Amino acid sequence: MYIIFLMIGVSITVAGLFLGAFLWAVRSGQYDDDYTPAVRMLFDNDTAPKAKPGSREKAS
């Protein structure tokens, strides 16, 4: 029977830690912009330029 009280105490402690982490994330601005990260990959044009034929540079 003692283990039940121990598990309840551990569960409440873990839940409190997760609640604290969530509140810290909200206060630090982690959820301020939820639109830009979703569309950032659609507008990412960070490609290497193609090498011209006959040039010695390798295209990566």
Side-chain angles (χ1 to χ4, degrees):
M1 191 68 184
Y2 175 73
I3 193 70
I4 295 219
F5 295 118
L6 179 67
M7 294 303 291
I8 289 172
V10 169
S11 300
I12 290 173
T13 303
V14 170
L17 289 173
F18 279 109
L19 179 64
F22 176 72
L23 291 175
W24 171 79
V26 169
R27 288 184 182 164
S28 67
Q30 296 287 322
Y31 297 106
D32 285 348
D33 185 17
D34 58 349
Y35 178 71
T36 303
V39 298
R40 184 179 304 151
M41 67 178 180
L42 298 175
F43 301 109
D44 189 19
N45 294 328
D46 197 21
T47 58
K50 292 183 180 180
K52 294 180 181 178
S55 66
R56 294 186 179 198
E57 296 180 14
K58 291 183 179 179
S60 55

